[in-house]
Amino acid sequence: MMRKILLMCCFLLGVTAFCRAQGGGGMRRSPADQAGALQTQLNLSDDQKAKIVTILTAQSAKRDSIRTAANGDRDAMMQGMMPLMKDTNAKIRAILTPDQATAYDKIMQERMDRMKQGGGGGGN
């Protein structure tokens, strides 16, 4: 009986570790992956993609510091994240053509709608 319980505990720990390793803990994509998705969606040039990777890398570092400073306080984290998101979106829009900026705005609106419905925001 004890052996079965021990085996079950080991199994659960293994599943948990596997899920975390597969990204189940945060589902965050790297700035390069995010820029690659935007390149596909918006038909970005390689130069535009490189600039967006730089912007998203800086945003990622700032986002991590905001999370650390908030220390689990969700309201404090949101207060820090909103200006960061607006600034990042403005910097990305400045790189895009008018048609790309329109498509980008649509993508961001769809992402916000999904977040409001509790479906997650994706990583674009």
Side-chain angles (χ1 to χ4, degrees), residues 45-111:
S45 69
D46 289 339
D47 183 53
Q48 287 174 309
K49 179 184 173 186
K51 289 176 182 176
I52 290 173
V53 167
T54 302
I55 292 167
L56 292 175
T57 300
Q59 181 219 31
S60 179
K62 290 177 185 175
R63 184 178 55 222
D64 289 344
S65 69
I66 290 170
R67 274 196 184 108
T68 301
N71 199 24
D73 181 353
R74 191 168 175 84
D75 291 333
M77 188 167 52
M78 290 306 292
Q79 283 183 324
M81 293 289 186
M82 291 308 290
L84 177 62
M85 286 173 47
K86 287 180 182 180
D87 182 53
T88 300
N89 286 339
K91 288 177 181 177
I92 290 173
R93 285 185 96 258
I95 294 169
L96 304 175
T97 66
D99 289 340
Q100 289 171 328
T102 301
Y104 178 74
D105 290 341
K106 183 179 176 189
I107 291 167
M108 291 297 107
Q109 184 60 49
E110 289 170 356
R111 177 200 241 186

Side-chain angles (χ1 to χ4, degrees), residues 5-45:
I5 292 173
L6 183 60
L7 249 150
M8 185 59 74
C9 288
C10 288
F11 175 75
L12 290 175
L13 284 172
V15 168
T16 302
F18 178 78
C19 289
R20 286 196 173 271
Q22 294 301 313
M27 300 291 283
R28 288 185 18 202
R29 295 188 300 173
S30 72
D33 290 343
Q34 292 175 48
L38 284 176
Q39 184 174 33
T40 301
Q41 292 170 317
L42 302 176
N43 196 26
L44 300 176
S45 69

